[in-house]
Structures are given as structure tokens and as C-alpha cells.
């Protein structure tokens, strides 16, 4: 059975992909990954533009400062597990659920630690402001959602 999206391709591409199920699966998975990244960047850019117009220079500066403090701790939240998880999922199909669960919880714990460290750093660097530490903690809570990137890595492993 061929993929539904195949009929929307030009004839020369459709001819090359016809009856090549593995290649269709790879193109389909890659397409979903590309769409996810494009959608994430598009929505992020639109929200960023709206926030800049709505907040004005002073509040946008505070927001940017809090976001910069959060970005400093974002590598800690990712723990560098993604490439190791991808290799483990490709090489060992039997223990994939254990690997996914372990990576998810590792990233969840690391993101909670990164959130706390970002808030502590904001409190130390801005002792006279109550707004900056609160904004930093709220923004750094987004790091928790990096835990769900384990699902994205699982889809990447299916591409082979």
C-alpha cells in the first residue's frame, strides 16, 4: 500500500518512490520531523513578534534578560541524552521502552534542577527585583517539556 501523500508529488518523484515502501517510510518520517520544526519556529516567531509589540522596550528587556538566564541552563536540561538514546534505539530494539523511559526521566529531573538553578541565579544576580526571578522561573519551566523530546528521538530512530 502506498502512502496517501504520494499522489500529491510531481510525476517524476512519484515514479521514483512507487513500490519502494522503506523509502516512502523514510520520506514520510522525515517530512513529519521537518513539519514539526517549521511549525515550532513559525509559532515561536509569531509569538515573539507579538510579545515585542505588546510589552514595549522596558518589559521586553526584562523578559529577554530572564530568557537569557534560562538559556544558560538549557544544556543542563537536555543532559546530552538524545544522541545516545538514538544510538541505543537503533542498535537495540528489545530494550527500547526502557531506554525511552530512562531518557525521559533523566531529562525531567535535569530540567527541574536547571529550573531551580536558573531561579537561584536570577535571585542572586537581581536581589532588588522580584520580577526577574519570577519571570526566570516561569520561563525555565518550559525546559520541562524538553523531556518529551525523547518521543522525537524515537521517531528519528524509526527513520534508520
Amino acid at each position: 500500500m502506498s502512502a496517501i501523500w504520494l499522489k500529491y508529488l510531481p510525476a517524476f518523484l512519484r515514479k521514483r518512490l512507487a513500490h519502494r515502501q522503506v523509502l516512502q517510510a523514510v520520506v514520510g518520517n522525515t517530512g513529519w520531523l521537518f513539519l514539526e520544526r517549521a511549525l515550532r519556529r513559525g509559532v515561536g516567531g509569531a509569538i515573539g513578534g507579538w510579545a515585542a509589540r505588546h510589552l514595549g522596550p522596558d518589559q521586553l528587556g526584562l523578559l529577554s534578560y530572564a530568557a537569557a538566564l534560562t538559556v544558560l541552563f538549557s544544556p543542563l536540561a537536555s543532559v546530552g541524552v538524545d544522541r545516545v538514546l538514538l544510538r541505543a534505539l537503533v542498535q537495540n530494539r528489545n530494550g527500547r521502552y526502557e531506554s525511552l523511559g530512562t531518557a525521559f526521566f533523566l531529562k525531567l529531573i535535569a530540567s527541574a534542577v536547571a529550573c531551580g538553578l536558573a531561579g537561584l541565579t536570577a535571585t542572586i544576580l537581581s536581589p532588588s527585583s522580584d520580577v526577574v526571578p519570577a519571570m526566570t522561573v516561569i520561563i525555565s519551566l518550559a525546559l520541562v517539556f524538553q523531556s518529551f523530546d525523547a518521543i522525537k528521538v524515537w521517531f528519528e530512530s524509526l527513520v534508520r
Side-chain angles (χ1 to χ4, degrees):
M1 182 172 152
S2 65
I4 296 171
W5 53 266
L6 199 59
K7 64 183 176 182
Y8 297 109
L9 291 177
F12 72 94
L13 285 176
R14 196 172 339 130
K15 183 179 173 184
R16 294 192 85 164
L17 291 174
H19 308 296
R20 296 177 76 180
Q21 303 300 329
V22 174
L23 186 58
Q24 287 179 19
V26 168
V27 171
N29 286 342
T30 305
W32 280 113
L33 291 170
F34 176 77
L35 182 66
E36 180 262 339
R37 287 190 182 176
L39 186 65
R40 186 181 287 198
R41 289 186 181 182
V43 169
I47 290 174
W50 174 80
R53 285 184 61 88
H54 181 72
L55 292 175
D58 293 338
Q59 285 85 15
L60 184 63
L62 289 175
L63 181 66
S64 296
Y65 179 64
L69 287 174
T70 300
V71 168
L72 288 175
F73 293 98
S74 64
L76 177 65
S78 69
V79 193
V81 170
D82 290 345
R83 296 296 124 202
V84 175
L85 177 62
L86 181 62
R87 185 172 26 122
L89 290 174
V90 169
Q91 290 176 351
N92 184 11
R93 296 308 238 178
N94 296 333
R96 64 180 170 219
Y97 298 118
E98 291 84 6
S99 298
L100 281 169
T102 302
F104 176 79
F105 284 111
L106 265 173
K107 291 178 86 156
L108 188 65
I109 291 168
S111 62
V113 169
C115 180
L117 287 174
L120 181 65
T121 303
T123 303
I124 292 170
L125 293 178
S126 304
S128 61
S129 174
D130 292 337
V131 175
V132 173
M135 287 174 69
T136 304
V137 169
I138 290 170
I139 292 171
S140 66
L141 285 174
L143 296 175
V144 172
F145 292 104
Q146 285 186 4
S147 305
F148 293 100
D149 283 351
I151 297 169
K152 182 179 78 169
V153 173
W154 178 61
F155 279 112
E156 287 177 6
S157 76
L158 295 178
V159 173
R160 295 185 183 96

